[in-house]
Amino acid sequence: MSLLRLLGLSPSEEDKKLKKLVENSYTSTRVVGRGTVKIDPNEVRNTKEFQDAREEAKAIVGA
């Protein structure tokens, strides 16, 4: 293990995986501050997954 990693100045493997996940998700995804992730809600609403989940929720509640 390197000195930088021991001091917490180098990203861990988990940090690298999270970075890759954020980069490969929505195009509007931004990391702001210390771990806050922002995504444009309109982009999420327009996805097929969200629309399918909304229809399932409507069926469950009976609306």
Side-chain angles (χ1 to χ4, degrees), residues 18-30 37-39 43:
L18 287 172
K19 181 181 177 193
K20 190 178 283 189
L21 177 67
V22 167
E23 289 172 347
N24 294 328
S25 63
Y26 300 103
T27 57
S28 64
T29 303
R30 294 179 302 144
V37 178
K38 290 190 172 188
I39 304 171
E43 185 179 1

Side-chain angles (χ1 to χ4, degrees), residues 3-16:
L3 179 60
L4 290 176
R5 181 155 301 156
L6 286 172
L7 295 174
L9 301 174
S10 177
S12 67
E13 291 303 315
E14 185 175 333
D15 293 336
K16 292 176 185 178

Side-chain angles (χ1 to χ4, degrees), residues 26-54:
Y26 300 103
T27 57
S28 64
T29 303
R30 294 179 302 144
V31 177
V32 292
R34 297 190 74 181
T36 303
V37 178
K38 290 190 172 188
I39 304 171
D40 180 15
N42 290 323
E43 185 179 1
V44 175
R45 273 188 226 113
N46 292 329
T47 63
K48 173 103 173 91
E49 293 87 359
F50 183 85
Q51 292 171 358
D52 291 345
R54 184 174 57 198

